[in-house]
Amino acid sequence: MFGGFGLGQTLKRWQRALRVPKDLPSSELNRMAGDIRGLRDRLDVMSAQARSELRARKASDTDGIERPDQCDWAVRPAPWTSEMRPRGVVGLSSPQPLPGGITVFHDATHADFSLVQDRAPMWVEGSQFGLVLEVYRSDGSFISFVQDLPGEALVGLTRNHFIAIRLVAEREQPVEIYARLNVQHGPNVEQIVRQVEFDGTNGVAEFDLAYSKINEKRLEKAWLDLIIEGPKMTRIALWDMALLRAPRADF
């Protein structure tokens, strides 16, 4: 396999050189170590992609997303379906990009955060992974996960639709979580904020576009902010996140 990718000779050269590493100059050792580290990182990413595809093929026919009647679009973002590399981030910066169009933001100047992707528990249906946030100390007021909505979420979108976010989350403390839908239409951005209402570990927030002022003919992009308010000395495991849309019921 390595020969097919043109890597065989390179690996043999590294092996020969490292039989007597003391004979190599420091500059050559530094360059070789950097090349090996870069190759290892690329192989780790490809290995994660292959494992994610194998898991997806073994999964059941249902994705576990609870769809309302006439639901015409639904998605589970990448961090809940595909293996991340690296798996975790310590000392979250702001912004901190994650795979699949998610970016983490916070307003802390002095903080100690960690974010790790773990395998979802067996009792969670649908998602393969979850994001586990641990906050040890923070002088900030929020941490938010910003998810870009793909273009297909806007195709045919009208004010007769509602958009919903559905979560499965374990909260060590009863921190409040809010969702804000942002829809750019022409030069304007419509923003709708809803608190995520929890029943046990299941949370939902819905955005009824009938009460918005979006211009259906000028839709350009949309994104959703999942905002955790004032987290301090706590652990929050987001085991699932699904986004969906459907026509609103007529009354």
Side-chain angles (χ1 to χ4, degrees):
M1 182 187 72
F2 283 119
F5 283 104
L7 298 176
Q9 293 303 315
T10 299
L11 291 174
K12 290 179 181 178
R13 178 170 57 81
W14 286 341
Q15 289 171 338
R16 286 196 301 268
L18 290 172
R19 285 172 188 161
V20 191
K22 65 180 182 180
D23 292 343
L24 295 174
S26 297
S27 59
E28 177 66 14
L29 279 172
N30 280 327
R31 185 186 64 78
M32 189 182 301
D35 290 346
I36 293 171
R37 185 167 55 249
L39 177 60
R40 182 192 62 198
D41 291 344
R42 291 194 293 273
L43 289 173
D44 283 345
V45 170
M46 289 189 291
S47 177
Q49 291 173 334
R51 288 194 297 270
S52 294
E53 177 63 21
L54 286 171
R55 276 191 293 268
R57 294 182 183 186
K58 291 179 181 179
S60 61
D61 293 336
T62 176
D63 57 15
I65 298 177
E66 184 181 344
R67 290 169 167 81
D69 291 341
Q70 302 182 57
C71 177
D72 55 12
W73 174 80
V75 70
R76 176 178 285 112
W80 288 269
T81 61
S82 301
E83 192 171 339
M84 285 179 14
R85 277 294 180 268
R87 284 185 56 245
V89 181
V90 177
L92 284 172
S93 59
S94 181
Q96 176 74 54
L98 300 178
I102 281 189
T103 306
V104 182
F105 292 87
H106 63 80
D107 63 345
T109 54
H110 302 285
D112 190 1
F113 302 138
S114 73
L115 182 68
V116 177
Q117 185 191 53
D118 274 346
R119 290 298 303 269
M122 294 295 294
W123 54 268
V124 177
E125 182 181 356
S127 64
Q128 298 287 327
F129 304 95
L131 294 178
V132 180
L133 173 69
E134 293 194 78
V135 182
Y136 304 104
R137 62 182 181 86
S138 172
D139 62 355
S141 63
F142 74 91
I143 299 175
S144 70
F145 295 81
V146 179
Q147 170 69 55
D148 293 331
L149 270 62
E152 54 264 30
L154 297 181
V155 175
L157 183 69
T158 72
R159 291 173 62 186
N160 192 47
H161 277 95
F162 73 87
I163 292 177
I165 176 173
R166 291 185 173 166
L167 301 177
V168 177
E170 288 184 299
R171 299 171 293 165
E172 191 173 73
Q173 301 173 10
V175 294
E176 293 183 341
I177 300 179
Y178 293 86
R180 180 173 63 201
L181 177 67
N182 310 270
V183 182
Q184 182 175 346
H185 53 112
N188 302 310
V189 176
E190 182 80 7
Q191 294 185 324
I192 309 172
V193 179
R194 295 287 183 269
Q195 184 171 357
V196 180
E197 300 292 341
F198 279 92
D199 180 8
T201 58
N202 295 315
V204 64
E206 295 186 351
F207 308 92
D208 190 341
L209 299 184
Y211 300 100
S212 72
K213 299 178 181 179
I214 63 169
N215 185 334
E216 301 167 355
K217 298 180 180 180
R218 301 192 65 185
L219 300 178
E220 296 184 12
K221 63 180 295 187
W223 64 99
L224 189 137
D225 305 341
L226 186 67
I227 304 166
I228 301 171
E229 190 170 84
K232 299 184 190 312
M233 294 296 294
T234 191
R235 176 183 181 273
I236 302 166
L238 299 173
W239 292 126
D240 195 12
M241 183 170 92
L243 308 174
L244 56 92
R245 79 175 198 190
R248 64 194 294 270
D250 292 324
F251 295 99

